[in-house]
Amino acid sequence: MQTDDTDQRLVTLLRENARRPVAELARHLGLARTTVQARIERLEATGVITGYTLKSCAAARPPLQATVLMSIEPRSGPEVLARLRKLPGVEVVHTTSGRFDLLAQVVAQSTAELDETIDKIAEARGVRSSESLIHLATKLDRTGQ
């Protein structure tokens, strides 16, 4: 689905606050309210907007976050991913280019819990090596979470 500059600006405004009234969105975009409503409906129907979600404050999220970079054995990706899915502290896994094959976003309530999750990742069959980066402070977050 092709989107134009106005669609992109609309999606950006909705990312900032998905509860913003359509009339307010229309004012920001310089369009009629009915035009903006039609654009939102089209973006939803075509899958550009797939849903709306809760944005929680930092206090509601686990206090510790880390990124775990992993090098894995050849053809072990499905097995490693199956193991990562079983670990409740692993929230997101990406494949990567470069010297690491996978990147996992990990959360925990305590350092002991974080340590245990990182150890289980490193011990997983097919993981050749791993490197952990504990997040200290968030300086920019445009993900809407």
Side-chain angles (χ1 to χ4, degrees):
M1 146 92 216
Q2 281 293 93
T3 59
D4 61 16
D5 182 56
T6 302
D7 289 337
Q8 293 302 319
R9 290 177 24 227
L10 175 57
V11 169
T12 298
L13 289 169
L14 288 170
R15 259 195 208 111
E16 291 170 3
N17 181 0
R19 296 188 68 196
R20 187 174 292 181
V22 175
E24 185 181 324
L25 293 167
R27 278 193 302 279
H28 279 286
L29 297 169
L31 299 172
R33 186 193 61 74
T34 55
T35 302
V36 172
Q37 184 64 50
R39 281 180 177 264
I40 291 171
E41 289 170 4
R42 179 177 48 78
L43 293 169
E44 290 171 342
T46 57
V48 173
I49 296 175
T50 58
Y52 302 88
T53 187
L54 172 71
K55 183 177 179 179
S56 59
C57 69
R61 283 181 241 144
L64 296 173
Q65 298 178 23
T67 298
V68 180
L69 305 167
M70 292 163 273
S71 292
I72 62 173
E73 299 294 335
R75 293 178 294 287
S76 67
E79 183 179 0
V80 172
L81 193 54
R83 173 73 173 149
L84 295 174
R85 280 191 178 106
K86 292 178 182 176
L87 299 174
V90 176
E91 289 195 324
V92 179
V93 178
H94 300 280
T95 56
T96 63
S97 62
R99 67 185 183 114
F100 294 102
D101 303 301
L102 297 174
L103 176 153
Q105 297 287 357
V106 178
V107 297
Q109 293 294 331
S110 67
T111 54
E113 182 182 325
L114 181 62
D115 188 47
E116 181 180 345
T117 300
I118 291 171
D119 284 348
K120 286 180 179 178
I121 290 171
E123 294 165 357
R125 188 172 170 177
V127 174
R128 185 181 308 151
S129 66
S130 68
E131 185 175 324
S132 304
L133 309 165
I134 297 175
H135 302 189
L136 299 177
T138 301
K139 302 297 185 180
L140 175 67
D141 183 359
R142 291 189 179 138
T143 62
Q145 298 179 16

